[in-house]
Amino acid sequence: MKFIKFLLVGIFFGIVLVKSEAVSWYRIYEMFRFQSFQMYGIIGTAIGTGILFLQISKKGFIKSIKGADIYVPKKDKGFTRYIIGGTIFGLGWALIGACPGPMYILLGTGVSSMLIVIAAALIGTFLYGLLKSKLPH
Amino acid sequence: METLLNPWPWYISGPLIALVMALLLYFGKNFGMSSNLSTLCAIGGAGKFSDFFKFKWKDQLWNLTVVLGAIIGGFIATHYLSNDSLMDLNPKTITELNNMGFQNAGASLLPNELFSLEALKSPKTLIILIIGGLLVGFGTRYAGGCTSGHAITGLSSLQKPSLIAVIGFFIGGLIMTNLILPLIF
């Protein structure tokens, strides 16, 4: 039963991403061609609202369900892994127009070829795990 | 009701995505979709090949539940919360895509030329989907996050590593869309 809330958040997330068209290959194409404001607007207002939420919670006005402080895990310091990994991710994102959330959501909208994308993404993740120690971070 | 069925404007959608992050933080978790790929690898036994996948995947079941919800959400949005309105794409985009061989751009969320079952018969399409998936899966783990973990959560919490990663997302995206896609299509 404690998982119900996560299921509901997921459902909400899926609906928002479809209705905002952020799952659309076309919107990603437009974004990287600077031909539409849609994606910039979505990401920009999401970050703006997110900053607001985290600043308010930092002041102690918002606590977690268990009464603890709202905590965002800190990313490790570094440069190489973020710029190279990010670029590789971006190449894939623009090619298939789907990142790791939308690939599942699109499957739900009935695009069964997303199963191929998800399988390939799993293999990509697995390859990273194998090569991790040999890659510059 | 019509407003709900039409595409939602960015100034509504963006804050709602932040709400997803806020809810997960409120529940004591964090918003990061790409971790699920690692979790699925771990469940599949990838820990036998790399220590990277040796973690208690049972602690991540909540996130897989979010994934399950996202799939259901996608289904609900297309079947019950949509009308047959076309996407409001830039006419320039439509012309460009037309010249690249994409017909009816914006008639549905994705181009049939890449994602329909019919298109899968072409080895070229299959290779594109596989390479795209590989790049996303490899890149997201190398960078330690994706659009949700870095662009939304990381930037909202003003973390420099996430800014570097998002700059990377854009370098890769700009190269693909502007330099490589025209060569492929």
Side-chain angles (χ1 to χ4, degrees):
Chain A
M1 276 310 279
K2 64 175 180 180
F3 279 159
I4 289 271
K5 57 179 182 287
F6 296 117
L7 189 73
L8 292 176
V9 170
I11 292 174
F12 179 69
F13 178 54
I15 291 175
V16 173
L17 256 65
V18 170
K19 293 311 296 174
S20 66
E21 297 176 340
V23 296
S24 169
W25 185 90
Y26 296 115
R27 287 293 180 204
I28 308 301
Y29 178 89
E30 267 187 337
M31 166 173 66
F32 289 127
R33 292 285 293 152
F34 300 106
Q35 288 170 341
S36 163
F37 183 72
Q38 178 84 358
M39 287 304 297
Y40 295 101
I42 294 173
I43 298 173
T45 50
I47 295 169
T49 314
I51 291 176
L52 202 67
F53 169 79
L54 288 172
Q55 291 302 319
I56 294 173
S57 61
K58 219 174 172 178
K59 299 233 154 40
F61 293 117
I62 304 170
K63 296 279 180 193
S64 83
I65 197 166
K66 288 179 182 146
D69 288 338
I70 296 286
Y71 171 72
V72 181
K74 289 272 168 286
K75 300 283 183 190
D76 298 334
K77 294 219 178 314
F79 180 80
T80 317
R81 68 173 296 188
Y82 296 113
I83 200 77
I84 301 179
T87 303
I88 296 172
F89 172 84
L91 287 166
W93 188 20
L95 180 59
I96 47 162
C99 41
M103 52 178 70
Y104 307 109
I105 298 170
L106 286 165
L107 186 63
T109 68
V111 184
S112 34
S113 50
M114 275 299 146
L115 283 172
I116 296 169
V117 175
I118 295 170
L122 284 169
I123 296 170
T125 301
F126 179 63
L127 287 177
Y128 171 75
L130 288 185
L131 300 173
K132 186 173 186 270
S133 56
K134 299 186 180 71
L135 296 168
H137 284 74
Chain B
M1 195 61 198
E2 210 46 38
T3 325
L4 202 65
L5 297 183
N6 284 329
W8 299 355
W10 54 264
Y11 50 86
I12 302 286
S13 315
L16 290 181
I17 293 172
L19 179 61
V20 171
M21 177 194 78
L23 281 170
L24 290 174
L25 288 171
Y26 173 69
F27 294 143
K29 308 293 183 192
N30 59 303
F31 183 33
M33 292 305 289
S34 66
S35 320
N36 292 301
L37 293 168
S38 302
T39 307
L40 288 171
C41 283
I43 293 177
K48 275 179 239 151
F49 303 94
S50 163
D51 288 348
F52 182 69
F53 300 107
K54 276 186 190 151
F55 57 89
K56 277 202 288 177
W57 54 261
K58 280 191 178 153
D59 294 347
Q60 294 298 315
L61 286 179
W62 68 269
N63 211 348
L64 287 181
T65 314
V66 176
V67 167
L68 180 65
I71 297 173
I72 298 171
F75 181 85
I76 293 174
T78 30
H79 288 84
Y80 304 107
L81 291 173
S82 295
N83 47 27
D84 15 309
S85 59
L86 294 175
M87 287 179 69
D88 184 24
L89 297 176
N90 186 334
K92 238 161 85 186
T93 311
I94 297 177
T95 315
E96 259 180 38
L97 287 171
N98 239 313
N99 294 337
M100 287 162 71
F102 291 94
Q103 308 298 321
N104 306 318
S108 54
L109 282 171
L110 304 182
N112 283 329
E113 287 81 357
L114 272 177
F115 297 96
S116 67
L117 290 179
E118 191 62 31
L120 274 186
K121 288 182 188 150
S122 140
K124 181 179 158 185
T125 316
L126 197 61
I127 291 169
I128 289 174
L129 295 186
I130 292 174
I131 291 180
L134 283 172
L135 290 169
V136 167
F138 187 88
T140 191
R141 211 62 276 130
Y142 196 172
C146 60
T147 333
S148 54
H150 274 311
I152 309 293
T153 312
L155 291 185
S156 289
S157 52
L158 311 173
Q159 298 198 51
K160 205 171 123 198
S162 294
L163 181 63
I164 303 167
V166 172
I167 291 171
F169 296 172
F170 266 82
I171 295 173
L174 289 173
I175 293 174
M176 178 55 71
T177 302
N178 294 281
L179 304 176
I180 305 180
L181 282 186
L183 296 178
I184 305 177
F185 297 105

